[in-house]
Amino acid sequence: DAGVIQSPRHEVTEMGQEVTLRCKPISGHDYLFWYRQTMMRGLELLIYFNNNVPIDDSGMPEDRFSAKMPNASFSTLKIQPSEPRDSAVYFCASSPPDRGWTEAFFGQGTRLTVV
Amino acid sequence: SQQGEEDPQALSIQEGENATMNCSYKTSINNLQWYRQNSGRGLVHLILIRSNEREKHSGRLRVTLDTSKKSSSLLITASRAADTASYFCATAMKTSYDKVIFGPGTSLSVIP
């Protein structure tokens, strides 16, 4: 398996623009997590899905952020409108059934820069 | 505030030496995990220790857990330059629905 695949790897956008980050989890995994990593705040859990259903979105910073998982092989994290403080590395991770809280497989991340 | 806090924030050692990193947490946990992150890459799972375990080994890694002190340590023996990375502890908390919280990490530099 190719692992968790995220796209794009790098994104530079202007403030106010819409940004969409994409994630393809490992086949067969039924947990999907979105994390954000910054120097100031470290690694923060934004939202997680189980069997395509959002379970906990309490980490989503504000209404400008939304996440979807239309099927087991695809998820998106959207920021609209984007702001400079959203600049961070965004990671997607997935876990196999019954191991959602024992081991997460991370993608390479998307480095987002909002100017 | 963070559930897990690593100590030290940064560590620099010579190749061949042992590296010890500590993690403290605040609330009851189901398990504690350690991850490694190489510069510019995603995190890689290293080892998991459950709340009813006290010590686990995996290759050159040794993890201990003291639930009475709410702390864990990661020991890397006979370090190599390739071990240079950031190391994070992640705690799976006992809540109504599970959640994993990552600490701020320890940056390890192994000098050849």
Side-chain angles (χ1 to χ4, degrees):
Chain A
D1 200 315
V4 175
I5 299 173
Q6 293 186 244
S7 65
R9 289 294 310 277
H10 302 273
E11 177 81 37
V12 180
T13 191
E14 292 185 348
M15 182 174 63
Q17 296 297 306
E18 177 180 296
V19 176
T20 299
L21 312 181
R22 297 173 174 81
C23 174
K24 177 177 170 29
I26 294 173
S27 178
H29 286 193
D30 63 355
Y31 283 89
L32 185 138
F33 310 89
W34 282 101
Y35 285 91
R36 179 173 68 176
Q37 186 177 38
T38 61
M39 289 294 293
M40 290 295 293
R41 301 177 67 87
L43 200 64
E44 302 172 278
L45 176 64
L46 300 178
I47 185 171
Y48 82 91
F49 296 82
N50 183 222
N51 291 317
N52 312 338
V53 177
I55 304 299
D56 180 7
D57 65 354
S58 61
M60 296 285 262
E62 45 197 275
D63 292 345
R64 298 185 296 106
F65 286 69
S66 63
K68 294 182 179 179
M69 192 164 186
N71 57 63
S73 59
F74 184 66
S75 177
T76 60
L77 178 68
K78 185 177 294 186
I79 308 172
Q80 166 63 19
S82 58
E83 297 182 3
R85 59 193 169 119
D86 302 329
S87 297
V89 181
Y90 290 81
F91 288 101
C92 175
S94 69
S95 294
D98 300 325
R99 289 169 60 188
W101 303 111
T102 60
E103 182 175 2
F105 294 77
F106 280 76
Q108 296 297 310
T110 295
R111 181 174 295 278
L112 173 65
T113 303
V114 184
V115 299
Chain B
S1 60
Q2 299 275 6
Q3 158 74 337
E5 297 280 347
E6 286 94 339
D7 167 52
Q9 289 187 329
L11 180 61
S12 182
I13 59 173
Q14 295 289 329
E15 199 166 31
E17 293 180 340
N18 295 340
T20 300
M21 289 158 270
N22 302 297
C23 171
S24 60
Y25 57 92
K26 298 178 180 177
T27 62
S28 295
I29 61 172
N30 285 317
N31 67 67
L32 186 145
Q33 305 160 46
W34 285 91
Y35 286 79
R36 183 188 71 227
Q37 183 180 33
N38 291 89
S39 181
R41 309 294 294 273
L43 282 75
V44 175
H45 186 269
L46 295 175
I47 194 167
L48 173 148
I49 187 165
R50 299 189 186 279
S51 59
N52 61 351
E53 297 175 313
R54 293 296 168 259
E55 186 171 315
K56 283 192 81 170
H57 297 256
S58 177
R60 294 184 297 112
L61 305 180
R62 172 178 169 252
V63 171
T64 61
L65 179 65
D66 187 335
T67 52
S68 66
K69 296 181 179 179
K70 292 187 169 57
S71 67
S72 172
S73 67
L74 171 68
L75 169 67
I76 304 174
T77 60
S79 64
R80 306 166 182 169
D83 295 327
T84 295
S86 291
Y87 292 81
F88 296 86
C89 72
T91 49
M93 298 191 298
K94 291 182 179 178
T95 59
S96 55
Y97 43 83
D98 294 325
K99 201 164 189 172
V100 168
I101 304 296
F102 283 81
T106 292
S107 176
L108 173 65
S109 296
V110 181
I111 303 167

PDB file of all heavy atoms in Angstrom, chain B residues 2-21:
ATOM      1  N   GLN B   2      -1.744  21.406  27.121  1.00  0.00           N
ATOM      2  CA  GLN B   2      -1.390  20.124  26.563  1.00  0.00           C
ATOM      3  C   GLN B   2      -1.673  19.001  27.556  1.00  0.00           C
ATOM      4  O   GLN B   2      -1.419  19.122  28.737  1.00  0.00           O
ATOM      5  CB  GLN B   2       0.098  20.117  26.205  1.00  0.00           C
ATOM      6  CG  GLN B   2       0.508  21.151  25.177  1.00  0.00           C
ATOM      7  CD  GLN B   2       0.294  20.660  23.751  1.00  0.00           C
ATOM      8  OE1 GLN B   2      -0.268  19.594  23.534  1.00  0.00           O
ATOM      9  NE2 GLN B   2       0.727  21.442  22.790  1.00  0.00           N
ATOM     10  N   GLN B   3      -2.153  17.870  27.039  1.00  0.00           N
ATOM     11  CA  GLN B   3      -2.297  16.690  27.883  1.00  0.00           C
ATOM     12  C   GLN B   3      -0.939  16.099  28.161  1.00  0.00           C
ATOM     13  O   GLN B   3      -0.653  15.669  29.273  1.00  0.00           O
ATOM     14  CB  GLN B   3      -3.226  15.685  27.186  1.00  0.00           C
ATOM     15  CG  GLN B   3      -3.085  14.255  27.621  1.00  0.00           C
ATOM     16  CD  GLN B   3      -3.669  13.963  28.984  1.00  0.00           C
ATOM     17  OE1 GLN B   3      -3.826  14.856  29.808  1.00  0.00           O
ATOM     18  NE2 GLN B   3      -3.975  12.716  29.238  1.00  0.00           N
ATOM     19  N   GLY B   4      -0.086  16.055  27.124  1.00  0.00           N
ATOM     20  CA  GLY B   4       1.241  15.495  27.296  1.00  0.00           C
ATOM     21  C   GLY B   4       2.306  16.558  27.151  1.00  0.00           C
ATOM     22  O   GLY B   4       2.202  17.433  26.306  1.00  0.00           O
ATOM     23  N   GLU B   5       3.330  16.472  27.984  1.00  0.00           N
ATOM     24  CA  GLU B   5       4.435  17.413  27.892  1.00  0.00           C
ATOM     25  C   GLU B   5       5.728  16.620  27.875  1.00  0.00           C
ATOM     26  O   GLU B   5       5.986  15.839  28.783  1.00  0.00           O
ATOM     27  CB  GLU B   5       4.427  18.353  29.115  1.00  0.00           C
ATOM     28  CG  GLU B   5       3.200  19.229  29.233  1.00  0.00           C
ATOM     29  CD  GLU B   5       3.262  20.446  28.333  1.00  0.00           C
ATOM     30  OE1 GLU B   5       4.351  20.748  27.806  1.00  0.00           O
ATOM     31  OE2 GLU B   5       2.228  21.099  28.142  1.00  0.00           O
ATOM     32  N   GLU B   6       6.538  16.835  26.819  1.00  0.00           N
ATOM     33  CA  GLU B   6       7.808  16.135  26.754  1.00  0.00           C
ATOM     34  C   GLU B   6       8.914  16.950  27.409  1.00  0.00           C
ATOM     35  O   GLU B   6       8.885  18.189  27.440  1.00  0.00           O
ATOM     36  CB  GLU B   6       8.203  15.847  25.292  1.00  0.00           C
ATOM     37  CG  GLU B   6       7.405  14.728  24.636  1.00  0.00           C
ATOM     38  CD  GLU B   6       6.233  15.268  23.878  1.00  0.00           C
ATOM     39  OE1 GLU B   6       5.815  16.402  24.171  1.00  0.00           O
ATOM     40  OE2 GLU B   6       5.719  14.573  22.992  1.00  0.00           O
ATOM     41  N   ASP B   7       9.896  16.246  27.852  1.00  0.00           N
ATOM     42  CA  ASP B   7      11.043  16.868  28.502  1.00  0.00           C
ATOM     43  C   ASP B   7      12.272  16.020  28.183  1.00  0.00           C
ATOM     44  O   ASP B   7      12.217  14.796  28.311  1.00  0.00           O
ATOM     45  CB  ASP B   7      10.791  16.919  30.012  1.00  0.00           C
ATOM     46  CG  ASP B   7      12.041  17.249  30.795  1.00  0.00           C
ATOM     47  OD1 ASP B   7      12.683  18.265  30.455  1.00  0.00           O
ATOM     48  OD2 ASP B   7      12.375  16.511  31.726  1.00  0.00           O
ATOM     49  N   PRO B   8      13.397  16.570  27.714  1.00  0.00           N
ATOM     50  CA  PRO B   8      13.571  18.003  27.448  1.00  0.00           C
ATOM     51  C   PRO B   8      12.948  18.419  26.116  1.00  0.00           C
ATOM     52  O   PRO B   8      12.513  17.581  25.355  1.00  0.00           O
ATOM     53  CB  PRO B   8      15.098  18.136  27.396  1.00  0.00           C
ATOM     54  CG  PRO B   8      15.540  16.816  26.851  1.00  0.00           C
ATOM     55  CD  PRO B   8      14.592  15.795  27.421  1.00  0.00           C
ATOM     56  N   GLN B   9      12.945  19.699  25.848  1.00  0.00           N
ATOM     57  CA  GLN B   9      12.454  20.170  24.553  1.00  0.00           C
ATOM     58  C   GLN B   9      13.448  19.829  23.454  1.00  0.00           C
ATOM     59  O   GLN B   9      13.062  19.586  22.315  1.00  0.00           O
ATOM     60  CB  GLN B   9      12.228  21.683  24.595  1.00  0.00           C
ATOM     61  CG  GLN B   9      11.038  22.099  25.434  1.00  0.00           C
ATOM     62  CD  GLN B   9      10.747  23.580  25.318  1.00  0.00           C
ATOM     63  OE1 GLN B   9      11.656  24.383  25.115  1.00  0.00           O
ATOM     64  NE2 GLN B   9       9.489  23.952  25.455  1.00  0.00           N
ATOM     65  N   ALA B  10      14.730  19.857  23.800  1.00  0.00           N
ATOM     66  CA  ALA B  10      15.771  19.551  22.825  1.00  0.00           C
ATOM     67  C   ALA B  10      16.879  18.776  23.514  1.00  0.00           C
ATOM     68  O   ALA B  10      17.172  19.000  24.687  1.00  0.00           O
ATOM     69  CB  ALA B  10      16.315  20.834  22.197  1.00  0.00           C
ATOM     70  N   LEU B  11      17.482  17.871  22.764  1.00  0.00           N
ATOM     71  CA  LEU B  11      18.522  16.998  23.302  1.00  0.00           C
ATOM     72  C   LEU B  11      19.560  16.758  22.225  1.00  0.00           C
ATOM     73  O   LEU B  11      19.213  16.411  21.098  1.00  0.00           O
ATOM     74  CB  LEU B  11      17.894  15.677  23.745  1.00  0.00           C
ATOM     75  CG  LEU B  11      18.781  14.602  24.354  1.00  0.00           C
ATOM     76  CD1 LEU B  11      19.430  15.117  25.635  1.00  0.00           C
ATOM     77  CD2 LEU B  11      17.960  13.352  24.646  1.00  0.00           C
ATOM     78  N   SER B  12      20.835  16.940  22.591  1.00  0.00           N
ATOM     79  CA  SER B  12      21.912  16.710  21.631  1.00  0.00           C
ATOM     80  C   SER B  12      22.906  15.747  22.254  1.00  0.00           C
ATOM     81  O   SER B  12      23.396  15.975  23.369  1.00  0.00           O
ATOM     82  CB  SER B  12      22.598  18.045  21.295  1.00  0.00           C
ATOM     83  OG  SER B  12      23.614  17.843  20.337  1.00  0.00           O
ATOM     84  N   ILE B  13      23.180  14.646  21.554  1.00  0.00           N
ATOM     85  CA  ILE B  13      24.085  13.626  22.087  1.00  0.00           C
ATOM     86  C   ILE B  13      25.029  13.145  20.991  1.00  0.00           C
ATOM     87  O   ILE B  13      24.812  13.406  19.799  1.00  0.00           O
ATOM     88  CB  ILE B  13      23.304  12.418  22.649  1.00  0.00           C
ATOM     89  CG1 ILE B  13      22.431  11.788  21.548  1.00  0.00           C
ATOM     90  CG2 ILE B  13      22.476  12.815  23.849  1.00  0.00           C
ATOM     91  CD1 ILE B  13      21.754  10.512  21.965  1.00  0.00           C
ATOM     92  N   GLN B  14      26.052  12.436  21.401  1.00  0.00           N
ATOM     93  CA  GLN B  14      26.990  11.837  20.454  1.00  0.00           C
ATOM     94  C   GLN B  14      26.476  10.461  20.026  1.00  0.00           C
ATOM     95  O   GLN B  14      25.799   9.756  20.808  1.00  0.00           O
ATOM     96  CB  GLN B  14      28.362  11.684  21.114  1.00  0.00           C
ATOM     97  CG  GLN B  14      29.048  13.001  21.476  1.00  0.00           C
ATOM     98  CD  GLN B  14      29.529  13.749  20.255  1.00  0.00           C
ATOM     99  OE1 GLN B  14      29.889  13.153  19.244  1.00  0.00           O
ATOM    100  NE2 GLN B  14      29.535  15.072  20.335  1.00  0.00           N
ATOM    101  N   GLU B  15      26.789  10.121  18.824  1.00  0.00           N
ATOM    102  CA  GLU B  15      26.417   8.802  18.310  1.00  0.00           C
ATOM    103  C   GLU B  15      26.962   7.731  19.254  1.00  0.00           C
ATOM    104  O   GLU B  15      28.099   7.811  19.733  1.00  0.00           O
ATOM    105  CB  GLU B  15      26.995   8.624  16.907  1.00  0.00           C
ATOM    106  CG  GLU B  15      26.332   7.537  16.088  1.00  0.00           C
ATOM    107  CD  GLU B  15      26.705   7.642  14.622  1.00  0.00           C
ATOM    108  OE1 GLU B  15      27.824   8.090  14.311  1.00  0.00           O
ATOM    109  OE2 GLU B  15      25.874   7.276  13.779  1.00  0.00           O
ATOM    110  N   GLY B  16      26.128   6.739  19.513  1.00  0.00           N
ATOM    111  CA  GLY B  16      26.522   5.661  20.419  1.00  0.00           C
ATOM    112  C   GLY B  16      26.013   5.840  21.839  1.00  0.00           C
ATOM    113  O   GLY B  16      25.899   4.854  22.586  1.00  0.00           O
ATOM    114  N   GLU B  17      25.705   7.078  22.202  1.00  0.00           N
ATOM    115  CA  GLU B  17      25.157   7.329  23.543  1.00  0.00           C
ATOM    116  C   GLU B  17      23.678   6.966  23.574  1.00  0.00           C
ATOM    117  O   GLU B  17      23.028   6.796  22.554  1.00  0.00           O
ATOM    118  CB  GLU B  17      25.356   8.804  23.922  1.00  0.00           C
ATOM    119  CG  GLU B  17      26.805   9.199  24.105  1.00  0.00           C
ATOM    120  CD  GLU B  17      26.955  10.668  24.485  1.00  0.00           C
ATOM    121  OE1 GLU B  17      26.009  11.457  24.235  1.00  0.00           O
ATOM    122  OE2 GLU B  17      28.008  11.023  25.030  1.00  0.00           O
ATOM    123  N   ASN B  18      23.164   6.878  24.788  1.00  0.00           N
ATOM    124  CA  ASN B  18      21.729   6.637  24.960  1.00  0.00           C
ATOM    125  C   ASN B  18      20.997   7.965  25.071  1.00  0.00           C
ATOM    126  O   ASN B  18      21.523   8.948  25.591  1.00  0.00           O
ATOM    127  CB  ASN B  18      21.472   5.826  26.233  1.00  0.00           C
ATOM    128  CG  ASN B  18      22.058   4.435  26.155  1.00  0.00           C
ATOM    129  OD1 ASN B  18      22.338   3.922  25.068  1.00  0.00           O
ATOM    130  ND2 ASN B  18      22.239   3.818  27.315  1.00  0.00           N
ATOM    131  N   ALA B  19      19.762   7.990  24.580  1.00  0.00           N
ATOM    132  CA  ALA B  19      18.922   9.186  24.660  1.00  0.00           C
ATOM    133  C   ALA B  19      17.664   8.858  25.451  1.00  0.00           C
ATOM    134  O   ALA B  19      17.007   7.847  25.175  1.00  0.00           O
ATOM    135  CB  ALA B  19      18.534   9.666  23.264  1.00  0.00           C
ATOM    136  N   THR B  20      17.360   9.689  26.420  1.00  0.00           N
ATOM    137  CA  THR B  20      16.158   9.501  27.227  1.00  0.00           C
ATOM    138  C   THR B  20      15.266  10.721  27.128  1.00  0.00           C
ATOM    139  O   THR B  20      15.724  11.850  27.334  1.00  0.00           O
ATOM    140  CB  THR B  20      16.507   9.250  28.704  1.00  0.00           C
ATOM    141  OG1 THR B  20      17.308   8.069  28.803  1.00  0.00           O
ATOM    142  CG2 THR B  20      15.232   9.056  29.518  1.00  0.00           C
ATOM    143  N   MET B  21      14.007  10.464  26.802  1.00  0.00           N
ATOM    144  CA  MET B  21      13.021  11.533  26.723  1.00  0.00           C
ATOM    145  C   MET B  21      11.865  11.183  27.654  1.00  0.00           C
ATOM    146  O   MET B  21      11.512  10.004  27.779  1.00  0.00           O
ATOM    147  CB  MET B  21      12.499  11.678  25.292  1.00  0.00           C
ATOM    148  CG  MET B  21      13.526  12.265  24.363  1.00  0.00           C
ATOM    149  SD  MET B  21      13.196  11.887  22.637  1.00  0.00           S
ATOM    150  CE  MET B  21      14.095  10.365  22.460  1.00  0.00           C
TER     151      MET B  21
END
